[in-house]
Amino acid sequence: MSNTPDDRKYADSHEWALLEADGNVRVGISDHAQELLGDLVFVELPEVGQKVGKGDECSVVESVKAASDIYSPVTGEIIAINGELEDGPEAINDSPYQDGWIFVIKPEDTSELDDLLDAEGYQNLTEDE
Amino acid sequence: MTKKTILNNAHRELGARMVDFGGWDMPVNYGSQIDEHHTVRQSVGMFDVSHMTVVDVNGVQAKAYLQNLLANDVAKLTRQGKALYSCMLTDDAGIIDDLIVYFLDDQNYRLVVNASTRDKDIAWLEKQAEGFDVAVNEQPTLAMIAVQGPKARQKVCPLLPERLGLSAAEIKPFSACWHGEWFVGRTGYTGEDGFEIILPQDKAEGFWTQLLEVGVKPCGLGARDTLRLEAGMNLYGQDMDESKNPLESGLAWTIVWEPEERDFIGKQALVNIKQQGNNDKFVGLILEDKGVLRGHQTVVLDDGSQGEITSGGYSPTMERSIALARVPASIGKTCKIDIRGKLKNARVVKPCFVRQGAVQIEL
């Protein structure tokens, strides 16, 4: 059974979005997603300063099996990327919710997070897969 | 309706992640595909390959039938148990399937063909048997387990029925021995030493469990794919199919042209294709930039012409991305690969990256 912490929101495309104390949104992929993908071998990170719209493709994670697009869960500007993933993409497998974060967005409007699923809603979604 | 091998429950009990593979419910991994890959290169792992199709060809004209059917020549097989890799072609030289044929004696051969092509293979084998005094006998009640890696032989031999264990310890690479319904080939699809063991279905679970008990790690089809890619072995349906001939699939070495008197299905078409020349080449690629090569990505040559990656992925042994590709013959030592609209640098190499645990390419 996948781990789905309830401190954050989830997109149906399997990203998580965590609203942090400073008002920024940290993004990664769910435990369920990393399990489906298998061993991660490469992450194509966005660029700091890049403007992204909600739902835009802004990163790619590649596993032994396949490449998978990462969609931005909110509109805003990328203000940090996890450079550790360039040489250690397996951090996403080992720690999808902490060390395996992918980027941080300064959101234009945090109310966009309301459109995402909560942990229970996301769990219901993944149980059908 | 998804088909299941006799070991399906065993995989589920081990916590395997199952996927549909050509209509079969098969394990893709039991945890980490990369760990499984390394285990086979460094020690020993096992794969359930019971979905593969075993077909026996029996009859006084078995040899003549196979000499007509296959592009490689079974006349090469003179020692009992010796195996041969061959393509089976259409009249136009398209590849119907690739297979292994084992020589039991002049009237009895055993073929192992792909699971995904089973129905068309059996239909073709039966159609081509018309006019020959042979019987095509599929063996649906057998299971098959591949045990691969440098420690495979020492783990397997003591577990085989007594006399078979002694003979299996003696057989040379690409040869087989058997006893009753147990059949052991020193063959595989990983580039490592090891055995492929064909055995009665009702013995399969017990044998699988014994192998687990002596420390043989179960490995899924995911690791099987990265291992065969590193070994530069083609996968039917990806690297070749009926629209491709062996000359453009890196399999010219499997075609036996002489003696001229031997005709085989697709030979005339191959002769014509060879005379026309200008055939695509089949090469290996190593990505020099960051990223992952994947099937169907476009290869861009220095002269602007284009080819295509047929299989690509991440090589756990080399920690680099590698691929097999079909490209125009004008390809040089380097090329570019279109990965999501960006051109990345790749180096062109012989399509054999890793054998017997050792990297064959200068990195």
Side-chain angles (χ1 to χ4, degrees), chain B residues 230-244:
Chain B
E230 284 185 352
M233 294 172 171
N234 292 17
L235 173 60
Y236 192 84
Q238 278 192 26
D239 302 304
M240 56 199 177
D241 56 32
E242 278 188 37
S243 73
K244 300 292 178 242

Side-chain angles (χ1 to χ4, degrees), chain A:
Chain A
M1 191 63 221
S2 304
N3 173 19
T4 313
D6 60 8
D7 59 348
R8 60 196 78 198
K9 304 298 277 285
Y10 297 85
D12 52 14
S13 48
H14 306 293
E15 296 83 5
W16 54 257
L18 176 67
L19 181 62
E20 303 198 309
D22 57 7
N24 294 323
V25 176
R26 192 173 294 263
V27 179
I29 65 169
S30 72
D31 189 31
H32 176 75
Q34 70 78 20
E35 262 188 42
L36 283 182
L37 283 165
D39 294 325
L40 269 293
V41 295
F42 176 67
V43 180
E44 193 176 289
L45 294 164
E47 281 170 30
V48 172
Q50 192 177 329
K51 298 271 200 293
V52 294
K54 178 177 155 72
D56 287 357
E57 297 169 15
C58 58
S59 175
V60 180
V61 293
E62 298 217 30
S63 74
V64 283
K65 269 192 267 179
S68 182
D69 288 317
I70 303 299
Y71 302 96
S72 177
V74 290
T75 303
E77 180 185 338
I78 306 279
I79 57 163
I81 54 174
N82 186 357
E84 300 285 318
L85 296 178
E86 291 202 336
D87 290 319
E90 64 275 11
I92 293 178
N93 295 117
D94 299 339
S95 174
Y97 297 115
Q98 274 83 37
D99 300 347
W101 66 277
I102 301 172
F103 52 85
V104 177
I105 299 183
K106 184 175 185 193
E108 280 182 8
D109 178 3
T110 51
S111 75
E112 280 183 342
L113 289 169
D114 299 341
D115 302 338
L116 301 173
L117 299 164
D118 60 16
E120 194 186 338
Y122 181 69
Q123 247 170 357
N124 291 338
L125 175 84
T126 57
E127 270 165 19
D128 298 334
E129 285 191 357

Side-chain angles (χ1 to χ4, degrees), chain B residues 21-255:
Chain B
F21 181 82
W24 291 82
D25 184 47
M26 298 298 286
V28 64
N29 64 58
Y30 300 81
S32 166
Q33 176 177 328
I34 291 179
D35 287 351
E36 292 167 19
H37 181 108
H38 289 313
T39 301
V40 171
R41 286 271 177 261
Q42 293 159 12
S43 175
V44 55
M46 62 178 165
F47 305 83
D48 176 18
V49 287
S50 303
H51 59 309
M52 296 194 73
T53 308
V54 179
V55 185
D56 288 346
V57 173
N58 314 102
V60 291
Q61 287 191 292
K63 182 177 176 184
Y65 163 73
L66 291 170
Q67 283 196 285
N68 178 65
L69 182 79
L70 303 177
N72 210 332
D73 190 354
V74 295
K76 284 184 193 168
L77 301 174
T78 52
R79 198 157 33 80
Q80 200 175 46
K82 188 72 184 151
L84 186 73
Y85 172 77
S86 182
C87 289
M88 180 162 78
L89 305 177
T90 64
D91 289 323
D92 301 330
I95 303 173
I96 296 172
D97 202 4
D98 63 335
L99 54 84
I100 301 255
V101 52
Y102 294 96
F103 173 67
L104 312 189
D105 61 48
D106 271 341
Q107 298 187 11
N108 297 286
Y109 293 81
R110 168 162 283 187
L111 312 185
V112 179
V113 305
N114 282 301
S116 55
T117 50
R118 177 198 169 270
D119 294 351
K120 71 164 186 173
D121 286 356
I122 301 279
W124 183 258
L125 290 169
E126 282 176 351
K127 179 170 178 237
Q128 299 307 327
E130 285 168 24
F132 287 95
D133 187 359
V134 290
V136 173
N137 296 311
E138 192 189 351
Q139 303 292 324
T141 61
L142 297 174
M144 188 160 167
I145 298 170
V147 185
Q148 301 278 298
K151 292 187 182 160
R153 295 168 73 224
Q154 76 184 58
K155 293 289 187 187
V156 169
C157 289
L159 302 180
L160 292 168
E162 192 183 345
R163 275 192 295 169
L164 189 58
L166 296 173
S167 17
E170 299 294 322
I171 53 171
K172 298 214 155 43
F174 235 65
S175 299
C177 58
W178 52 90
H179 181 69
E181 283 193 292
W182 288 67
F183 183 98
V184 179
R186 194 167 166 194
T187 49
Y189 195 47
T190 60
E192 295 302 320
D193 196 2
F195 289 131
E196 292 177 301
I197 301 133
I198 298 170
L199 71 170
Q201 278 180 353
D202 61 1
K203 299 284 194 296
E205 197 156 2
F207 188 61
W208 179 267
T209 305
Q210 281 186 300
L211 287 163
L212 279 176
E213 284 166 3
V214 297
V216 179
K217 184 181 171 84
C219 300
L221 294 182
R224 189 166 156 85
D225 192 50
T226 48
L227 287 159
R228 71 92 196 168
L229 179 63
E230 284 185 352
M233 294 172 171
N234 292 17
L235 173 60
Y236 192 84
Q238 278 192 26
D239 302 304
M240 56 199 177
D241 56 32
E242 278 188 37
S243 73
K244 300 292 178 242
N245 68 64
L247 297 172
E248 58 191 345
S249 305
L251 298 175
W253 62 275
T254 68
I255 302 167

